[in-house]
């Protein structure tokens, strides 16, 4: 017994030591395929991605942040913050105090990014580590005076192949080692806008192309010997919904556009009134039944989209599939940016590697939960954030987790065992007590036989 206790105790100590002193730090590659709507996974075939999931984990729906646009959501993934807290509140922004503007094409001023610290910066502040980025919004900007040690200036014309070549080279041959890396690809967002997600024929072709890229990624990691020790997360920033020229909201029919500065247009418009704010608000309020009009202070709390100077005094939120325009026709058949409670706006998350379970599926997490999970994998102390580490525990091998269905199953199982045992005891007692007079009679008969013999 003594020996057993000693053995168990020493086993625990070694086990603990084994987990805490990593000779090699954990490595993580974070991949985003822009605009990969969660239910594409059910509606189309992805043989390579499904193989990846079979040996890893899948979160079917990631509830992202409002507004469901590219820059804000990519920054929430790497900071764990809602948009009002990290400051990238749209793809097009205006700061009234400095009169600065931000857009997809003019995003390099650190001013916009410095309200938060993304994980690639935090990772480099730890001893002997570096980060690398084959693109991701913000990775080519010196945020808090720091870029990733290895990065590419953003250009949509650089091929996936070249991005993949760079990121794998950096993951293999750098000193200090690259422990956190990002890889970004513009599809299926670009095609989703162009064709609309309901164009099955074109989307089938585009999504097959995405699956082939995932196949190429996994193949390359295997060939280079990176696959076994690397944690890989494949996710996205938002989904996509179908738009139509039948569903337009023309602001020019409601209000003269010289009475406000338009900062962003659709599906969430941001307006800075030039005249009396109430006057602008009252005209817009009755403009179209398919658009919600909010003064900044009335924006619903569930959006977590209010407490930042870059959020304009009036915002307009179009209903799903509706497009806000200024006297112009519809330019795209698919869009995103809508209410983040719409499932069409959600992406998915799949992950594979030594940190993750194999073959585990979970229905949902929030996109802000990804940050504390990544910090845990990398052994980084997370900055204050809006995510909940507990939501991702079931995905991770080093965490004890019990989810609701399992808990219900255990309780029902325990009740069944107890009921069965109780029934058995009752039956046994009845058998022992009720047939006694009869058995005594039998005994008497039986008893006779040997006596006769
Ligand atoms: Zn887009």
């Amino acid at each position: 017994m003594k020996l057993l206790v000693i053995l168990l105790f020493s086993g625990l100590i070694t086990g603990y030591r084994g987990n805490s002193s990593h000779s090699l730090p954990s490595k993580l590659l974070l991949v985003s395929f822009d605009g990969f709507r969660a239910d594409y996974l059910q509606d189309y075939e992805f043989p390579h991605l499904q193989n990846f999931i079979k040996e890893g984990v899948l979160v079917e729906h990631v509830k992202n942040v409002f507004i469901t646009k590219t820059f804000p959501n990519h920054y929430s993934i790497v900071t764990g913050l809602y948009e009002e807290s990290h400051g990238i509140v749209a793809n097009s922004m205006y700061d009234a105090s400095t009169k600065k503007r931000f857009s997809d094409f003019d995003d390099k001023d650190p001013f916009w990014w410095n309200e938060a610290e993304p994980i690639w910066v935090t990772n480099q502040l730890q001893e002997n580590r570096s980060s690398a980025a084959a693109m991701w919004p913000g990775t080519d900007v010196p945020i808090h005076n720091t870029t990733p040690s290895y990065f590419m200036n953003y250009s949509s014309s650089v091929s996936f192949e070249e991005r993949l070549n760079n990121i794998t080279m950096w993951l293999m041959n750098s000193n200090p080692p690259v422990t956190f890396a990002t890889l970004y690809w513009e599809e299926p967002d670009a095609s989703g806008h162009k064709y609309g997600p309901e164009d099955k024929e074109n989307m089938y072709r585009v999504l097959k192309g995405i699956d082939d890229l995932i196949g190429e990624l996994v193949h390359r990691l295997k060939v280079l010997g990176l696959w076994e020790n690397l944690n890989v997360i494949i996710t996205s920033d938002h989904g996509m919904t179908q738009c139509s020229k039948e569903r337009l909201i023309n602001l020019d029919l409601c209000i003269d556009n010289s009475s406000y500065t338009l900062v962003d247009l659709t599906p969430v418009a941001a307006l800075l009134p030039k005249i009396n704010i109430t006057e602008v608000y009252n005209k817009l309020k009755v403009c179209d039944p398919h658009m919600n009009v909010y003064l900044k202070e009335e924006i619903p709390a569930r959006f977590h989209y209010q407490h930042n100077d870059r959020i304009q005094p009036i915002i307009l939120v179009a209903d799903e599939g509706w497009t806000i325009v200024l006297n112009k026709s519809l330019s795209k058949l698919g869009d995103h940016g809508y209410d983040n409670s719409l499932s069409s706006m959600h992406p998915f998350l799949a992950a594979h590697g030594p940190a993750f379970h194999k073959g585990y599926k979970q229905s949902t997490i929030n996109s802000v939960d990804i940050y504390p999970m990544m910090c845990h994998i990398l052994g980084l102390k997370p900055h204050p954030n809006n995510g909940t580490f507990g939501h991702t525990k079931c995905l991770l091998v080093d965490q004890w987790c019990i989810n609701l269905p399992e808990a219900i199953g255990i309780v029902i199982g325990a009740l069944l065992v107890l009921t069965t045992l109780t029934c058995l005891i009752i039956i046994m007692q009845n058998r022992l007590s009720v047939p006694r007079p009869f058995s005594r009679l039998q005994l008497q008969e039986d008893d006779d036989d040997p006596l006769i013999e």
Side-chain angles (χ1 to χ4, degrees), residues 34 70 189-190 193 238 240 335-336:
D34 198 316
T70 299
D189 181 71
H193 284 300
H238 54 70
M240 187 68 68
D335 210 356
H336 55 88

Side-chain angles (χ1 to χ4, degrees), residues 428-437:
M428 296 273 281
Q429 276 179 342
N430 284 348
R431 280 207 174 155
L432 287 172
S433 57
V434 178
R436 205 166 280 163

Side-chain angles (χ1 to χ4, degrees), residues 27 35 58 108 114 120 141 148 222 262 301 317 327 432 434 450:
K27 292 187 175 192
L58 171 69
K108 298 287 188 290
N114 278 343
W120 61 79
V141 181
K222 283 181 177 170
L262 188 71
V317 183
N327 259 342
L432 287 172
V434 178

Side-chain angles (χ1 to χ4, degrees), residues 330-379:
L330 186 69
S331 58
K332 40 194 175 182
L333 286 171
D335 210 356
H336 55 88
Y338 300 91
D339 189 332
N340 62 327
S341 65
L342 295 165
S343 70
S344 61
M345 291 298 106
H346 296 166
F348 75 103
L349 180 144
H352 178 281
F356 297 100
H357 281 294
K358 289 193 191 304
Y360 181 80
K361 212 177 259 189
Q362 185 168 321
S363 60
T364 189
I365 58 167
N366 303 308
S367 63
V368 290
D369 299 330
I370 301 171
Y371 170 78
M373 177 180 78
M374 293 194 299
C375 287
H376 173 79
I377 291 170
L378 293 170

